[in-house]
Amino acid sequence: MQHKNDEQTHFGYKTVNKSHKRELVADVFDSVATKYDLMNDLMSLGIHRVWKANTIANSGVRKGQKVLDVGGGTGDLSQKFSKIVGVEGKVILSDINQSMLKEGRKKLRNLGFINNISYVQADAEHLPFPDNYFDCVSISFCLRNVTNKEAALRSIYRVLKPGGRILILEFSKPNSQLISKLYDTYSFNVLPILGKIIAGDSESYKYLAESIRMHPSQDELKQMMLQAGFDEVKYYNYTDGIVALHKGFKF
């Protein structure tokens, strides 16, 4: 009989023990942390900034509110939320990876964001915050790396206030076969080369490409959110579905 801690999951296209995946994902982001922002700009030709701006526009966040940026990494969303909520509000940038959190804190402090952003190393599956606490929770390009996505969704649901909103920005499934084929060619041939040249690491970017393909489709993720308790779940495809924004509420 297989021990619960030895249950299998995927790490890209590989099958690994669930207990081992966290360590493998940590190695990836330890490796890419210092070049993460540069690689984002190169990989997406800067379009990730538009995706994130649309996420902020769908957040409904207002002055004085509390926002949690789960897996917030280098803080692109956190700095935007910080400007909106102002000194009366609060933003928490959380990430399970210490290297990414360190890069995010350094970047935002250098930009002058010191008054209303806190930094917490935390596991998305077990968020260390009170029930019914946040007005909005975002999770951007992080959920596909979480071992137990259902547990993470339930954890986010718990810490949201009634009426609060979840925003999931993540790579998804392209709508057209042509775009899908071009995207595959780019992801598995160009992306690892870029990773090797810029970050000195092709294997981590090979994993990132694989992890995107293993992530649930738009409709599958919508169903997972509904099962976690969220209402009025909708999604918006960006760049032909290469990326999707899922939005839901806690009532």
Side-chain angles (χ1 to χ4, degrees), residues 3 5 19 25 42 47 58 66 85 88 90 102 104 110 134 142 167 171-172 174-175 193 202 213 219 221 223 246 248:
H3 192 274
N5 289 336
S19 57
V25 171
L42 291 173
I47 299 173
N58 275 279
K66 297 184 181 72
V85 302
E88 299 93 346
K90 183 175 186 179
K102 180 180 178 181
N110 285 342
F134 294 100
C142 168
L167 299 164
F171 290 107
S172 202
N175 292 318
I193 294 172
S202 61
R213 273 66 187 182
D219 287 319
L221 180 54
Q223 287 304 311
H246 283 70

Side-chain angles (χ1 to χ4, degrees), residues 181-242:
K181 288 178 180 179
L182 291 172
Y183 184 43
D184 283 348
T185 299
Y186 171 78
S187 298
F188 292 105
N189 294 283
V190 179
L191 190 53
I193 294 172
L194 272 178
K196 181 67 174 178
I197 294 171
I198 304 300
D201 183 352
S202 61
E203 283 301 308
S204 289
Y205 285 94
K206 180 173 178 285
Y207 156 72
L208 291 174
E210 292 176 355
S211 70
I212 292 167
R213 273 66 187 182
M214 299 301 291
H215 187 66
S217 69
Q218 288 92 324
D219 287 319
E220 288 170 337
L221 180 54
K222 178 180 178 179
Q223 287 304 311
M224 290 169 64
M225 293 172 68
L226 290 168
Q227 289 171 8
F230 292 101
D231 288 295
E232 293 187 11
V233 177
K234 299 178 181 177
Y235 63 82
Y236 308 90
N237 285 320
Y238 301 144
T239 319
D240 195 60
I242 287 175

